[in-house]
Amino acid sequence: MIGVLVPANNEEDCIGACLASVAQAARAPALGGETVVTVVALDRCTDATADIVLSHSVLAVTVDAGNVGRARAAAAARLIGLGARWIACTDADSRVPADWLSSQLAYGCDAFCGMVTVADWLDYAPAVRRLFLRNHRGVGDHGHIHGANLGFCTRLYRHCGGFAPLAAHEDVALVAAFVEAGARIARKRTPTVVTSSRRRSRATGGFADYLRSLERYLEARAGERQGQPRGKHSGIQRQVP
């Protein structure tokens, strides 16, 4: 059995499209009909997220943590209890491609670290988009870690102790444990997951915060070129993540 986990905190606007894309990936012919089970971790949801999840053929676990690491761990535990041999992770504001699961498995690795692209740049300036693409350009292996496009075998996950109860970067910590364990990690550019560029992050230090840090970096650079004193931008993160 293949498992898919999705943490969700008030995601009524996005979760439906996410789960529809996961369902399509679960029907990929290359999976040979293997069962795919999706578990959504409902973490302090007060909107219609739970109702939307119930309208899809997925399972849900409810957590009261306000913590993405704990949410992912709860969903992973449910999947492992159901017998999942491989667990793929994405985010509620993301959409996975049809070959998402089959391609992860085809790499024949212990873990998979994939890339993301942005669905809609909203009110971000074109320069922010260009900087993001510059930081994510290239071919072959990469050094990025995205919880919206991650996969691993259950054996490795259990060996490394699972997701840490972190409010952010729980995915980075898990992959670091994989590296320490000597796992075979496929760091590939495809399959690529499409995610949102929303400005309000569900987790401090998450992808939304990353995009805003790019914006602040460019604003600081623009201010320096105009000769503004450095102190005026003291609250701006100066280095590109």
Side-chain angles (χ1 to χ4, degrees), residues 79-144:
L79 289 166
I80 291 171
L82 293 171
R85 68 180 181 92
W86 181 270
I87 297 176
C89 308
T90 193
D91 290 337
D93 65 331
S94 303
R95 302 190 307 275
V96 305
D99 65 342
W100 184 54
L101 296 172
S102 57
S103 292
Q104 287 190 19
L105 293 169
Y107 285 122
C109 55
D110 299 317
F112 167 81
C113 293
M115 296 287 285
V116 299
T117 188
V118 175
D120 184 345
W121 285 97
L122 303 178
D123 61 339
Y124 279 105
V128 177
R129 176 178 180 271
R130 290 194 295 270
L131 182 55
F132 173 83
L133 294 175
R134 189 185 78 190
N135 290 348
H136 291 75
R137 69 173 180 263
V139 295
D141 293 350
H142 61 84
H144 300 282

Side-chain angles (χ1 to χ4, degrees), residues 188-211:
K188 303 299 182 181
R189 304 193 66 83
T190 58
T192 304
V193 167
V194 177
T195 195
S196 75
S197 60
R198 63 187 179 191
R199 288 184 172 273
R200 188 174 75 85
S201 181
R202 295 300 191 269
T204 301
F207 190 70
D209 286 347
Y210 169 71
L211 292 182

Side-chain angles (χ1 to χ4, degrees), residues 10-127:
N10 288 343
E11 296 283 6
E12 63 182 5
D13 294 333
C14 305
I15 192 71
C18 171
L19 295 178
S21 70
V22 170
Q24 182 181 31
R27 295 191 294 268
L31 294 178
E34 184 171 0
T35 299
V36 176
V37 175
T38 299
V39 173
V40 178
L42 301 168
D43 187 8
R44 294 185 179 176
C45 292
T46 58
D47 63 358
T49 300
D51 294 332
I52 296 171
V53 169
L54 289 175
S55 71
H56 290 74
S57 298
V58 302
L59 302 177
V61 294
T62 301
V63 296
D64 183 18
N67 181 290
V68 67
R70 292 185 184 276
R72 288 194 196 273
R78 181 70 180 276
L79 289 166
I80 291 171
L82 293 171
R85 68 180 181 92
W86 181 270
I87 297 176
C89 308
T90 193
D91 290 337
D93 65 331
S94 303
R95 302 190 307 275
V96 305
D99 65 342
W100 184 54
L101 296 172
S102 57
S103 292
Q104 287 190 19
L105 293 169
Y107 285 122
C109 55
D110 299 317
F112 167 81
C113 293
M115 296 287 285
V116 299
T117 188
V118 175
D120 184 345
W121 285 97
L122 303 178
D123 61 339
Y124 279 105

